[in-house]
């Protein structure tokens, strides 16, 4: 399930459109706010991933077995892919906000509206290339669906353990289900926010 996300993440990172949009965003007046958002988001994400990874490592120990290697690699892949997702989200939101500010107090001239149309077409093309043309949106759909599926599975394991033993004997399935649900909720919220900003008010 991580393979399509890894492949499309690489395509996005290597994409010249994404590189140009990110550099332009960082060089704009919104640059410092973008950096703060990214640093705080990545730090919070790393804390959650390290906590849940620690639960798994505490159960089995950190050794040279294949499971320990899998847990370590999964943490690296998750941090990388979710970092790219956050960068895409922030660049997209800033492009939409720039358009919204442009038409907040429009000039009733043909030149202004021609400029606004050019900016709109450029923004939609950039966002479309970064999300849809790269295949990243499809990969993230599969990623989110798998997160919800795994959250349901781990939740069912936790409830079965609680029903069978009349108490919670292990926190591992609950921690894993919490991580999957939390990641899905945050990602769906951020995606819905992009759509909300594109709606007229």
């Amino acid at each position: 399930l991580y393979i399509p996300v890894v492949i499309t993440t690489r395509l996005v990172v290597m994409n010249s459109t994404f590189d140009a949009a990110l550099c332009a965003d960082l060089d704009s007046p919104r640059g410092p706010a973008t950096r703060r958002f990214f640093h705080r988001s990545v730090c919070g994400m790393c804390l959650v991933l390290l906590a849940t990874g620690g639960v798994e490592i505490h159960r089995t120990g950190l050794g040279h077995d294949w499971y320990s290697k899998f847990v370590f690699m999964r943490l690296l892949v998750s941090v990388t892919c979710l970092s790219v997702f956050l960068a895409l989200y922030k660049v997209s939101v800033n492009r939409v906000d720039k358009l919204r500010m442009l038409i907040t107090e429009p000039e009733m001239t043909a030149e202004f509206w021609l400029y606004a149309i050019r900016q709109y077409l450029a923004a939609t093309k950039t966002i479309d290339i970064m999300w849809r043309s790269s295949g990243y949106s499809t990969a993230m759909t599969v990623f989110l669906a798998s997160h919800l599926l795994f959250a349901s599975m781990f939740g069912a394991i936790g409830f079965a353990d609680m029903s069978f033993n009349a108490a919670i004997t292990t926190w591992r399935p609950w921690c894993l289900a919490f991580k999957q649900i939390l990641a899905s909720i945050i990602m769906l919220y951020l995606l819905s926010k992009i759509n909300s900003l594109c709606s007229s008010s």
Side-chain angles (χ1 to χ4, degrees), residues 100-116:
R100 288 166 61 93
M101 291 179 62
L102 179 65
I103 62 174
T104 299
E105 298 179 358
E107 299 175 12
M108 295 305 170
T109 61
E111 291 78 10
F112 171 83
W113 288 109
L114 285 173
Y115 173 75

Side-chain angles (χ1 to χ4, degrees), residues 7-22 84 88 91-92 95 120-138:
I7 293 173
T8 54
T9 296
R10 183 181 182 279
L11 291 176
V12 169
V13 172
M14 300 297 292
N15 190 289
S16 59
T17 301
F18 170 69
D19 184 61
L22 181 60
V84 173
L88 273 175
V91 169
S92 301
R95 293 301 290 264
Y120 168 78
L121 293 175
T124 54
K125 183 179 180 181
T126 299
I127 294 172
D128 183 68
I129 289 174
M130 292 190 302
W131 289 93
R132 187 187 62 83
S133 300
S134 65
Y136 192 76
S137 58
T138 302

Side-chain angles (χ1 to χ4, degrees), residues 156-170:
I157 293 172
F159 278 113
D161 171 70
M162 188 171 60
S163 300
F164 182 77
N165 297 298
I168 297 177
T169 60
T170 175

Side-chain angles (χ1 to χ4, degrees), residues 17-198:
T17 301
F18 170 69
D19 184 61
L22 181 60
C23 289
D25 190 74
L26 293 175
D27 291 336
S28 70
R30 297 176 181 269
T34 299
R35 290 186 178 89
R36 286 194 300 271
F37 166 82
F38 192 74
H39 290 158
R40 292 172 183 173
S41 300
V42 171
C43 288
M45 174 182 62
C46 288
L47 288 175
V48 173
L49 291 173
L50 287 174
T52 52
V55 171
E56 295 188 61
I57 293 171
H58 177 74
R59 186 180 70 91
T60 59
L62 183 61
H64 298 288
D65 58 290
W66 283 105
Y67 183 75
S68 297
K69 294 177 182 178
F70 169 74
V71 171
F72 181 71
M73 289 302 298
R74 190 178 64 183
L75 286 173
L76 289 179
V77 170
S78 297
V79 169
T80 302
C81 295
L82 293 176
S83 296
V84 173
F85 172 82
L86 291 170
L88 273 175
Y89 160 78
K90 193 60 177 173
V91 169
S92 301
V93 165
N94 286 346
R95 293 301 290 264
V96 174
D97 274 340
K98 184 178 178 181
L99 284 174
R100 288 166 61 93
M101 291 179 62
L102 179 65
I103 62 174
T104 299
E105 298 179 358
E107 299 175 12
M108 295 305 170
T109 61
E111 291 78 10
F112 171 83
W113 288 109
L114 285 173
Y115 173 75
I117 290 171
R118 285 196 296 269
Q119 292 296 311
Y120 168 78
L121 293 175
T124 54
K125 183 179 180 181
T126 299
I127 294 172
D128 183 68
I129 289 174
M130 292 190 302
W131 289 93
R132 187 187 62 83
S133 300
S134 65
Y136 192 76
S137 58
T138 302
M140 291 310 301
T141 300
V142 176
F143 185 75
L144 282 169
S146 67
H147 265 55
L148 295 174
L149 178 63
F150 287 142
S152 302
M153 181 181 68
F154 289 129
I157 293 172
F159 278 113
D161 171 70
M162 188 171 60
S163 300
F164 182 77
N165 297 298
I168 297 177
T169 60
T170 175
W171 286 100
R172 182 170 179 259
W174 296 106
C175 289
L176 294 176
F178 172 75
K179 183 193 75 171
Q180 305 285 351
I181 292 174
L182 181 64
S184 300
I185 289 174
I186 292 174
M187 292 173 73
L188 288 172
Y189 168 76
L190 294 178
L191 290 172
S192 64
K193 188 174 180 180
I194 297 175
N195 181 70
S196 176
L197 288 173
C198 294

